Amino acid sequence: MPLLNKVRTAAPGGPGDTIAAPSLSRLRSALTVFFALDGFLFAGWVVRIPAIKQQTNASAGELGLALLGVSAGAVVTMVLTGRLCRRFGSHPVTVACGALMALAIALPAQTHSALALGLVLLVFGAAYGGINVAMNSAAVDLVAALRRPVMPSFHAAFSLGGMVGAGAGALVASGLSPTAHLLALTGLGLLVTAVAGRVLLRHPAPVRAKTPHSEGRRLDGRARRLVLLFGVIALCTAYGEGAMADWGALHLEQDLAANPGVAAVGYSLFALAMTAGRLSGTALLERLGQTRTLVMGGLTAAAGMLLGALAPTAWLALAGFAVMGLGLANIFPVAIARAGALAGPGGVAAASTLGYGGMLLGPPAIGLLAEWFSLPLALTTVAVLAAAAALIGYAARNATAPRD
């Protein structure tokens, strides 16, 4: 397979070197902080869901409907944020959405009914969807200016932020009420946004080679198809993440007779492997290129999930989950980066929306298939979609940004 889509390291004074290296370094640090903050705040909310359920006296069904507010708000806002980034710039939109997310995270603790919870989660979901599109759009511009494939490092920061947020939330859950905990997250989130946001607002987004679509013009048929392809890659991999989060532990406990402690390790091991894969993602992309990274990642994830779903023992299944995490680690970041390079913020928005849809689709689809067949067989669909992502990544190996 030819080594395609490799990104060269920037040289001072080279083409596109419009911003001094120290400024690019500060921008990279500030964006990394926003990715970590996003993961940290979202995980902080997730660990308080049981307490919020009790506070609102919601049934399981009512809570499920309320939680759809996050998804609905995120999907709608992701579609709109690309336009906001083109009009106002990705940096101001990132800062605004970061502040809104920090403020919105305190709202669920103030509700006392499932309806009120669902309404405030629309706001939280809107902020979450907005910041994901805006900061990924900013990251795409920065990657182009640096001429290094550093997108996985930003997503590694998101993963690390989520792990820290979940761990910290678990530690304080017994000693702090949801109101105190989420208000503390609001204060911390606003402080971090103010500090890191000053850097983003002070430095404009790097100027990169323009395409007709990155400047807001309507996508032609070829560009639409290419962005759709990368969005489907994101969907295929996010499907696996959602399935692992909701069904991995149950598979270990129910099908492989693992004790609850071992079962709980399953998703943690998967998340750790994914974080490690993303931390090494830049070096991997520089060595292999984007196409090989997509293809090898998808095939590795498929093999890992087949082992995880069909292994006869829990320990082999855990090994499979770790291999799957390593395989999936860099596929989503590369897909988002390729869509952004092709079509600017609109491409990021479209691919992110499809990817988020995959994360929502995974858990219920696995549940239905498990009811009709079995959970191990249902989990093999994750392997099928990971292999499909590899195939699509190879098919799109010659995708380039259209020019005037």
Side-chain angles (χ1 to χ4, degrees):
M1 185 189 306
L3 186 57
L4 298 166
N5 311 119
K6 292 196 76 171
V7 183
R8 296 172 298 169
T9 302
D17 184 25
T18 59
I19 295 181
S23 295
L24 293 178
S25 179
R26 286 192 290 270
L27 282 177
R28 183 178 178 182
S29 297
L31 272 177
T32 299
V33 168
F34 271 104
F35 272 85
L37 178 66
D38 183 30
F40 181 82
L41 292 179
F42 191 80
W45 143 248
V46 167
V47 299
R48 300 316 300 243
I49 289 177
I52 298 296
K53 178 181 182 296
Q54 184 176 4
Q55 176 180 299
T56 57
N57 293 316
S59 66
E62 290 171 336
L63 178 64
L65 290 174
L67 291 175
L68 283 177
V70 178
S71 307
V75 168
V76 170
T77 310
M78 282 178 171
V79 175
L80 300 175
T81 305
R83 300 177 186 175
L84 293 176
C85 288
R86 285 194 295 267
R87 181 170 182 179
F88 300 107
S90 57
H91 289 185
V93 177
T94 297
V95 176
C97 290
L100 179 60
M101 187 174 179
L103 291 169
I105 199 171
L107 298 178
Q110 311 305 316
T111 61
H112 298 282
S113 70
L115 176 60
L117 178 62
L119 292 175
V120 301
L121 288 180
L122 281 171
V123 180
F124 181 71
Y128 178 72
I131 193 173
N132 273 277
V133 171
M135 67 188 184
N136 273 291
S137 297
V140 167
D141 290 337
L142 185 57
V143 167
L146 290 170
R147 297 195 209 172
R148 292 193 65 210
V150 298
M151 182 66 88
S153 68
F154 295 121
H155 288 260
F158 173 85
S159 299
L160 286 171
M163 291 170 62
V164 173
L171 287 175
V172 305
S174 59
L176 283 180
S177 68
T179 299
H181 179 200
L182 298 184
L183 280 174
L185 292 182
T186 291
L188 180 61
L190 289 175
L191 177 62
V192 172
T193 297
V195 173
R198 287 181 62 189
V199 178
L200 292 190
L201 296 177
R202 187 177 301 167
H203 299 284
V207 178
R208 64 186 177 97
K210 297 291 184 182
T211 72
H213 312 307
S214 66
E215 295 180 307
R217 302 183 200 175
R218 186 176 296 276
L219 297 177
D220 59 27
R222 176 177 177 273
R224 285 178 184 273
R225 288 191 295 273
L226 290 174
V227 170
L228 178 62
L229 281 179
F230 289 115
V232 171
I233 290 173
L235 183 152
C236 290
T237 56
Y239 175 98
E241 290 187 53
M244 273 300 305
D246 284 22
W247 294 102
L250 183 63
H251 168 58
L252 290 168
E253 191 170 348
Q254 170 186 291
D255 300 315
L256 299 176
N259 64 56
V262 172
V265 168
Y267 183 73
S268 298
L269 191 59
F270 168 80
L272 280 171
M274 177 170 282
T275 301
R278 286 176 171 174
L279 287 171
S280 60
T282 296
L284 189 67
L285 284 165
E286 288 179 329
R287 183 175 181 83
L288 300 179
Q290 292 178 328
T291 297
R292 282 186 173 180
T293 299
L294 283 177
V295 173
M296 293 178 63
L299 295 178
T300 300
M305 191 65 245
L306 284 177
L307 178 60
L310 303 178
T313 68
W315 299 109
L316 279 175
L318 287 172
F321 291 165
V323 171
M324 185 178 72
L326 287 172
L328 290 184
N330 296 302
I331 301 178
F332 190 94
V334 170
I336 297 298
R338 295 288 296 276
L342 283 164
V348 174
S352 297
T353 303
L354 282 169
Y356 195 80
M359 192 169 288
L360 299 178
L361 174 66
I366 295 293
L368 287 174
L369 290 171
E371 187 172 335
W372 293 338
F373 304 103
S374 68
L375 182 53
L377 188 61
L379 288 173
T380 62
T381 59
V382 174
V384 172
L385 289 183
L391 180 63
I392 297 169
Y394 182 75
R397 63 193 179 280
N398 294 319
T400 56
R403 303 286 180 182
D404 278 320

